[in-house]
mmCIF file of all heavy atoms in Angstrom:
data_model
loop_
_atom_site.group_PDB
_atom_site.id
_atom_site.type_symbol
_atom_site.label_atom_id
_atom_site.label_comp_id
_atom_site.label_asym_id
_atom_site.label_seq_id
_atom_site.Cartn_x
_atom_site.Cartn_y
_atom_site.Cartn_z
ATOM 1 N N VAL E 964 15.401 -0.392 13.689
ATOM 2 C CA VAL E 964 15.527 -1.721 14.297
ATOM 3 C C VAL E 964 14.179 -2.426 14.190
ATOM 4 O O VAL E 964 13.153 -1.889 14.614
ATOM 5 C CB VAL E 964 15.951 -1.607 15.780
ATOM 6 C CG1 VAL E 964 16.005 -2.992 16.427
ATOM 7 C CG2 VAL E 964 17.288 -0.888 15.903
ATOM 8 N N ALA E 965 14.191 -3.609 13.595
ATOM 9 C CA ALA E 965 12.950 -4.401 13.483
ATOM 10 C C ALA E 965 13.357 -5.863 13.429
ATOM 11 O O ALA E 965 13.950 -6.307 12.444
ATOM 12 C CB ALA E 965 12.167 -4.015 12.230
ATOM 13 N N GLY E 966 13.057 -6.608 14.471
ATOM 14 C CA GLY E 966 13.516 -7.992 14.520
ATOM 15 C C GLY E 966 15.034 -8.018 14.427
ATOM 16 O O GLY E 966 15.731 -7.302 15.144
ATOM 17 N N ALA E 967 15.543 -8.841 13.504
ATOM 18 C CA ALA E 967 16.993 -8.947 13.338
ATOM 19 C C ALA E 967 17.568 -7.799 12.516
ATOM 20 O O ALA E 967 18.785 -7.647 12.411
ATOM 21 C CB ALA E 967 17.329 -10.274 12.659
ATOM 22 N N LEU E 968 16.709 -7.000 11.918
ATOM 23 C CA LEU E 968 17.142 -5.968 10.967
ATOM 24 C C LEU E 968 17.703 -4.732 11.649
ATOM 25 O O LEU E 968 17.124 -4.234 12.622
ATOM 26 C CB LEU E 968 15.945 -5.557 10.095
ATOM 27 C CG LEU E 968 16.187 -4.434 9.089
ATOM 28 C CD1 LEU E 968 16.637 -5.025 7.751
ATOM 29 C CD2 LEU E 968 14.933 -3.604 8.874
ATOM 30 N N ARG E 969 18.827 -4.252 11.112
ATOM 31 C CA ARG E 969 19.393 -2.971 11.538
ATOM 32 C C ARG E 969 19.678 -2.167 10.278
ATOM 33 O O ARG E 969 20.599 -2.485 9.522
ATOM 34 C CB ARG E 969 20.702 -3.171 12.315
ATOM 35 C CG ARG E 969 20.599 -4.154 13.481
ATOM 36 C CD ARG E 969 19.825 -3.554 14.661
ATOM 37 N NE ARG E 969 19.781 -4.475 15.786
ATOM 38 C CZ ARG E 969 18.781 -5.353 15.991
ATOM 39 N NH1 ARG E 969 17.761 -5.432 15.133
ATOM 40 N NH2 ARG E 969 18.793 -6.160 17.034
ATOM 41 N N LEU E 970 18.875 -1.151 10.035
ATOM 42 C CA LEU E 970 19.028 -0.365 8.804
ATOM 43 C C LEU E 970 19.409 1.067 9.167
ATOM 44 O O LEU E 970 18.560 1.840 9.634
ATOM 45 C CB LEU E 970 17.712 -0.390 7.999
ATOM 46 C CG LEU E 970 17.738 0.070 6.537
ATOM 47 C CD1 LEU E 970 16.445 -0.310 5.828
ATOM 48 C CD2 LEU E 970 17.983 1.552 6.362
ATOM 49 N N PRO E 971 20.670 1.432 8.980
ATOM 50 C CA PRO E 971 21.067 2.809 9.305
ATOM 51 C C PRO E 971 20.367 3.798 8.367
ATOM 52 O O PRO E 971 20.326 3.573 7.145
ATOM 53 C CB PRO E 971 22.574 2.810 9.053
ATOM 54 C CG PRO E 971 22.976 1.373 8.935
ATOM 55 C CD PRO E 971 21.776 0.633 8.458
ATOM 56 N N ILE E 972 19.826 4.835 8.933
ATOM 57 C CA ILE E 972 19.166 5.837 8.087
ATOM 58 C C ILE E 972 20.251 6.565 7.285
ATOM 59 O O ILE E 972 21.183 7.133 7.854
ATOM 60 C CB ILE E 972 18.368 6.837 8.947
ATOM 61 C CG1 ILE E 972 17.265 6.086 9.705
ATOM 62 C CG2 ILE E 972 17.763 7.943 8.087
ATOM 63 C CD1 ILE E 972 16.514 6.922 10.715
ATOM 64 N N PRO E 973 20.161 6.524 5.947
ATOM 65 C CA PRO E 973 21.238 7.106 5.132
ATOM 66 C C PRO E 973 21.341 8.623 5.329
ATOM 67 O O PRO E 973 20.361 9.281 5.701
ATOM 68 C CB PRO E 973 20.796 6.785 3.690
ATOM 69 C CG PRO E 973 19.735 5.734 3.804
ATOM 70 C CD PRO E 973 19.096 5.924 5.136
ATOM 71 N N ASP E 974 22.527 9.130 5.040
ATOM 72 C CA ASP E 974 22.700 10.580 5.077
ATOM 73 C C ASP E 974 21.734 11.216 4.076
ATOM 74 O O ASP E 974 21.556 10.716 2.969
ATOM 75 C CB ASP E 974 24.140 10.950 4.685
ATOM 76 C CG ASP E 974 25.122 10.521 5.769
ATOM 77 O OD1 ASP E 974 24.671 10.303 6.911
ATOM 78 O OD2 ASP E 974 26.322 10.384 5.451
ATOM 79 N N GLY E 975 21.146 12.332 4.484
ATOM 80 C CA GLY E 975 20.220 13.022 3.588
ATOM 81 C C GLY E 975 18.811 12.457 3.626
ATOM 82 O O GLY E 975 17.953 12.869 2.855
#
Side-chain angles (χ1 to χ4, degrees):
Chain E
V964 177
L968 177 91
R969 307 287 182 267
L970 195 167
I972 298 173
D974 290 341

